[in-house]
């Protein structure tokens, strides 16, 4: 393999097939360049996989949109391709813009629109219908069932049958005539049932199931102009943060302190006009995630939670836990809408957590998470909860301890809480790259693998679900073992 260094930071899609080009942020040795190249591609284990994308290898162009704080609309959080800007057009207009149509056409025929897609696919991060809708469909169905049961109304038998068929196809991620038929049958029944339901909560749930069925139908049919506008939506409402995590890229750019730099100015939060545009066609939304920084820092987060809940949209929250006190927890519990939440720990001990997540109090974090989980059990809410840890050399020894901590925090086995071990993100930011090179570690490293194996054993013993970069941890370890043996 040959390596050529250039100024910048990306893989060169125009490189000849026998040359792997990498754009470097500074001069470095060929050996260091090879290391960077492999890391840019994904994990070391994934690097040996052949790159052979099938048509429609990613569902994101038909289901997702990310609205940046500067107004730009992107296909997903891992790609900076711009569909358009909500400063100059509405979201529905941007959704069917020439740029958006072109991006979808490339994915539909199995071609990578740009290098971000190539790298994402190599890492196994491409959006699937299962990753987008599996848990949400379960939540919506439970909401329909609970509302019907409370009113003493039997579930619609044909809806039960069609929902089971449709959900099975969503989970399988298999495309074809059977999947198309399942989408159409589910959509037809939801529309019919929706007109006859008098219970508001049940009608909301059935309507949103229909929205998902239409979005899946758009994907399976490779529609250039999907009827549903960005049903899973992310908005970068806030750039600043109350924590100073050592692995946060925004710490190195200054964004989490001074705001995101755009157009020669710093923006700390999205303005009200843009925020409203980010929520356009709310009826099409099934899931909304505040990406970027701390959602609870937004002055209107309570009002936004109520708005999303009123339209049956699932709110996805990622938090450092400092602001999710008892009053904030009560707001979420009483909102009446579906939601899911991620608590960032990045360690299992006070010393590690507070050294990585600067400004975070370990004791307060544990207290707030324990109270939150207790309230979920008390309200009998089906809310997916993730306790996450970004793997670094600094914290990798605490994988099993984090699983044990989650077991201790969980008040009831019926509370849906799991552990997720994630990898450090790559970035073109020079200062961050030095940190990245010092701290990067993944499942291919013997130390990480031993720690993750201990975590998997602890997860089995304590009946705690554990993931590695979106994959079941035990499966990821087995795949790595097979790669070594092969």
């Amino acid at each position: 393999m040959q390596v050529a260094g250039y100024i910048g930071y990306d893989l060169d899609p125009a490189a000849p097939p026998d040359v792997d080009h990498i754009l470097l942020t500074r001069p470095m040795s060929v050996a260091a360049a090879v290391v960077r190249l492999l890391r840019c591609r994904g994990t070391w284990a994934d690097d040996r996989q052949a790159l052979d994308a099938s048509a429609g290898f990613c569902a994101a162009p038909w289901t997702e949109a990310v609205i940046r704080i500067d107004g730009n609309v992107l296909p997903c959080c891992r790609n900076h391709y711009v569909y358009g800007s909500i400063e100059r057009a509405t979201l529905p207009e941007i959704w069917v813009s020439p740029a958006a149509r072109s991006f979808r056409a490339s994915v539909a025929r199995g071609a990578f629109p740009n290098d971000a897609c190539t790298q994402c696919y190599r890492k196994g991060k491409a959006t699937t219908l299962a990753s987008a809708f599996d848990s949400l469909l379960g939540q919506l169905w439970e909401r329909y069932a609970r509302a019907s049961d409370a009113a003493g109304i039997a579930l619609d038998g044909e809806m039960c049958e069609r929902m089971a068929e449709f959900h099975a196809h969503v989970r399988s991620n298999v495309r074809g005539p059977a999947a198309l038929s399942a989408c159409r049958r589910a959509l037809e029944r939801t529309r019919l049932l929706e007109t006859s339901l008098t219970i508001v909560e049940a009608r909301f749930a059935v309507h949103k199931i229909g929205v998902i069925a239409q979005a899946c139908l758009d994907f399976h049919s490779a529609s250039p102009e999907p009827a549903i506008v960005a049903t899973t939506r992310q908005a970068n409402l806030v750039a600043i943060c109350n924590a100073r995590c050592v692995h946060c890229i925004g710490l190195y750019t200054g964004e989490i302190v001074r705001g995101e730099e755009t157009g020669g100015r710093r923006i700390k939060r999205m303005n009200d006009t843009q925020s409203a545009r980010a929520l356009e066609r709310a009826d099409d939304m099934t899931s909304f995630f505040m990406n970027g920084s701390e959602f609870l820092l937004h002055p209107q987060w309570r009002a936004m939670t109520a708005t999303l809940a009123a339209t049956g949209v699932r709110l996805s929250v990622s938090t450092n836990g400092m602001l999710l006190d008892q009053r904030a927890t009560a707001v979420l519990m009483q909102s009446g809408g579906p939601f899911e939440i991620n608590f960032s720990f990045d360690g299992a001990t006070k010393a590690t957590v507070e050294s990585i997540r600067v400004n975070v109090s370990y004791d307060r974090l544990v207290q707030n998470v324990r109270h939150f989980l207790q309230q979920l059990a008390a309200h009998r809410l089906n809310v997916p909860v993730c306790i996450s840890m970004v793997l670094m050399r600094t914290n990798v020894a605490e994988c099993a301890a984090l699983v044990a901590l989650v077991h201790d925090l969980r008040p009831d086995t019926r509370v849906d809480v799991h552990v997720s071990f994630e990898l450090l993100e790559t970035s073109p930011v020079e200062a961050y790259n030095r940190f990245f090179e010092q701290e990067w570690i993944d499942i291919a490293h013997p130390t990480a693998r031993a720690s993750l194996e201990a975590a998997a054993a602890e997860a089995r013993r304590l009946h705690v679900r554990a993931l590695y970069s979106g994959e079941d941890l035990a499966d990821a370890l087995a795949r790595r073992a097979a790669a070594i043996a092969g």
Side-chain angles (χ1 to χ4, degrees):
M1 178 174 66
Q2 301 177 45
V3 178
Y6 296 94
I7 300 301
Y9 185 83
D10 208 341
L11 296 177
D12 184 359
D18 61 333
V19 178
D20 287 313
H21 283 66
I22 180 167
L23 310 187
L24 306 175
T25 56
R26 64 183 187 279
M28 61 174 64
S29 67
V30 170
V34 171
V35 169
R36 179 64 57 78
L37 174 60
L38 296 178
R39 287 175 178 167
C40 283
R41 285 178 165 180
T43 65
W44 298 88
D46 291 339
D47 185 62
R48 293 189 295 177
Q49 296 177 2
L51 191 59
D52 183 21
S54 59
F57 58 87
C58 179
W62 288 267
T63 61
E64 293 182 42
V66 172
I67 301 96
R68 295 289 303 159
I69 203 167
D70 60 3
N72 284 340
V73 179
L74 317 178
C76 73
C77 63
R78 297 177 292 276
N79 200 309
H80 292 288
Y81 181 96
V82 178
Y83 285 169
S85 172
I86 56 174
E87 287 191 335
R88 295 181 290 276
T90 66
L91 187 59
E93 290 169 342
I94 294 168
W95 187 243
V96 294
S97 67
R101 290 167 57 94
S102 175
F103 193 91
R104 286 189 196 102
S106 292
V107 175
R109 64 176 183 269
F112 297 109
N114 59 19
D115 193 62
C117 280
T118 307
Q119 294 187 42
C120 181
Y121 186 79
R122 283 185 183 275
K123 294 178 181 179
K125 295 285 190 178
T127 298
T128 64
L129 295 182
S131 64
F133 300 129
D134 184 18
S135 67
L136 179 55
L137 281 171
Q139 280 188 305
L140 290 170
W141 185 258
E142 182 179 354
R143 191 177 186 186
Y144 163 57
R146 288 179 64 174
S148 300
D149 183 63
I153 300 174
L155 297 179
D156 181 81
E158 191 167 350
M159 182 66 199
C160 291
E161 177 186 335
R162 295 191 184 190
M163 176 65 175
E165 177 192 23
F166 171 57
H167 200 171
H169 277 285
V170 167
R171 284 173 171 160
S172 73
N173 289 317
V174 176
R175 306 181 74 193
L180 274 169
S181 175
C183 293
R184 291 193 179 103
R185 283 167 49 79
L187 181 59
E188 177 187 65
R189 193 60 191 172
T190 56
R191 286 175 174 172
L192 184 63
L193 182 58
E194 193 180 343
T195 61
S196 63
L197 283 171
T198 57
I199 310 161
V200 174
E201 187 173 359
R203 189 168 65 247
F204 263 146
V206 169
H207 173 72
K208 292 301 182 182
I209 291 172
V211 168
I212 292 174
Q214 179 65 64
C216 292
L217 183 61
D218 290 338
F219 168 64
H220 284 303
S221 59
S223 171
E225 297 186 0
I228 300 299
V229 176
T231 190
T232 59
R233 218 171 283 182
Q234 298 185 32
N236 186 199
L237 299 173
V238 181
I240 58 173
C241 187
N242 56 334
R244 301 290 182 265
C245 303
V246 297
H247 58 296
C248 176
I249 297 171
L251 177 67
Y252 297 87
T253 62
E255 290 178 11
I256 63 170
V257 180
R258 303 187 302 277
E260 183 173 318
E261 187 173 8
T262 178
R265 58 197 176 103
R266 290 275 183 174
I267 304 174
K268 292 186 176 182
R269 71 179 184 91
M270 189 180 287
N271 65 49
D272 292 342
T273 300
Q274 290 180 336
S275 296
R277 283 199 161 184
L279 299 181
E280 284 180 315
R281 290 276 291 268
D283 197 46
D284 284 5
M285 274 196 292
T286 52
S287 180
F288 180 86
F289 174 55
M290 206 299 291
N291 74 351
S293 186
E294 180 66 40
F295 175 67
L296 301 179
L297 280 174
H298 196 284
Q300 300 299 321
W301 79 265
R302 292 172 177 81
M304 294 186 71
T305 297
T307 298
L308 294 169
T311 53
V313 179
R314 180 174 70 178
L315 173 63
S316 297
V317 177
S318 184
T319 177
N320 57 45
M322 289 299 92
L323 300 177
L324 197 64
D325 55 17
Q326 293 189 14
R327 287 183 298 177
T329 292
V331 170
L332 289 175
M333 298 295 162
Q334 295 164 13
S335 69
F339 64 97
E340 62 181 359
I341 191 164
N342 173 77
F343 291 99
S344 301
F345 266 67
D346 295 326
T349 64
K350 181 180 178 70
T352 299
V353 171
E354 293 186 353
S355 66
I356 292 175
R357 307 193 66 79
V358 179
N359 291 351
V360 168
S361 164
Y362 175 83
D363 294 334
R364 191 193 307 172
L365 172 60
V366 168
Q367 176 184 324
N368 287 349
V369 173
R370 191 183 300 279
H371 174 75
F372 182 87
L373 296 177
Q374 289 171 344
Q375 290 302 299
L376 284 183
H379 287 78
R380 297 182 179 179
L381 293 177
N382 177 20
V383 173
V385 178
C386 175
I387 306 295
S388 66
M389 172 175 168
V390 176
L391 292 177
M392 291 171 266
R393 293 178 184 271
T394 301
N395 65 7
V396 70
E398 298 187 4
C399 293
L402 184 60
V403 173
L405 175 61
V406 169
H407 176 262
D408 176 67
L409 291 170
R410 184 177 60 181
D412 190 315
T413 55
R414 290 172 296 181
V415 175
D416 182 9
V417 58
H418 68 275
V419 180
S420 181
F421 299 105
E422 302 294 335
L423 301 176
L424 281 170
E425 294 289 334
T426 56
S427 169
V429 178
E430 176 70 16
Y432 173 79
N433 282 333
R434 290 193 291 272
F435 166 83
F436 178 93
E437 290 169 2
Q438 293 169 0
E439 289 288 345
W440 168 267
I441 195 166
D442 71 352
I443 199 169
H445 193 285
T447 300
R449 190 161 63 253
S451 184
L452 289 168
E453 286 171 349
E458 193 76 340
R460 285 192 300 271
R461 185 178 74 84
L462 299 174
H463 304 288
V464 173
R465 189 159 59 101
L467 305 179
Y468 171 81
S469 196
E471 181 182 9
D472 181 84
L473 176 58
D475 291 345
L477 287 165
R479 186 166 59 86
R480 179 58 190 166
I484 294 173

